[in-house]
Amino acid sequence: MGSIIIKRVYDAPEESDGYRILTDRLWPRGIKKENVKADLWAKDITPSNELRKEFHQNFDFEVFNKKYLKEIADNPKAPEFKEFVIEKLSKGNITLLTASKNMDFNQCHVLKNWIENKSN
């Protein structure tokens, strides 16, 4: 069973990254698609534009976490995405990529916890 790794999209890819998933709704600034080396751009599972803007204006990770989990719960594509990631994890690591400068508080951590939580 692999692990879920969180990295900035600007960091150089490593073999240990395994399957790389971009988790940003918008394409990262200043980087060409061929340089990202993402296997999947998971736009359908990213925070909504409204939530993304709210989070950037009023940085409150606890509020963001609750609202994003609600969006995931209401997203009909979320169960399929989670199954896909768990299948990939059975073969190796998964790396969730973000352009966020704040690597302690971003959507990747919410996604990682949601994927690893067996009850949802």
Side-chain angles (χ1 to χ4, degrees), residues 1-14:
M1 185 76 154
S3 298
I4 297 176
I5 301 163
I6 297 172
K7 287 178 75 171
R8 286 198 76 211
V9 71
Y10 303 104
D11 296 339
E14 298 176 302

Side-chain angles (χ1 to χ4, degrees), residues 54-85:
E54 179 185 330
F55 182 56
H56 289 294
Q57 291 170 356
N58 306 311
F59 180 83
D60 185 332
F61 189 72
E62 290 304 315
V63 170
F64 172 78
N65 186 62
K66 285 181 183 180
K67 288 184 176 183
Y68 186 29
L69 286 173
K70 172 80 169 97
E71 285 188 356
I72 292 170
D74 294 343
N75 185 338
K77 295 184 180 185
E80 181 182 344
F81 175 79
K82 186 173 186 176
E83 286 178 33
F84 176 80
V85 171

Side-chain angles (χ1 to χ4, degrees), residues 11 19 29 42 46 55 58 61 67-68 86 89 92 114 117:
D11 296 339
Y19 194 85
R29 291 183 190 182
T46 63
F55 182 56
N58 306 311
F61 189 72
K67 288 184 176 183
Y68 186 29
I86 289 170
L89 281 169
W114 172 73
N117 186 344

Side-chain angles (χ1 to χ4, degrees), residues 15-62:
E15 194 171 322
S16 62
D17 289 348
Y19 194 85
R20 293 166 51 94
I21 302 172
L22 179 60
T23 65
D24 291 341
R25 181 164 294 270
L26 303 176
W27 189 260
R29 291 183 190 182
I31 191 165
K32 295 180 181 178
K33 289 186 180 185
E34 59 268 14
N35 294 340
V36 171
K37 307 288 188 234
D39 297 297
L40 175 69
W41 184 8
K43 285 190 280 188
D44 292 335
I45 199 74
T46 63
S48 66
N49 278 326
E50 296 78 19
L51 181 56
R52 183 182 57 78
K53 288 175 186 177
E54 179 185 330
F55 182 56
H56 289 294
Q57 291 170 356
N58 306 311
F59 180 83
D60 185 332
F61 189 72
E62 290 304 315

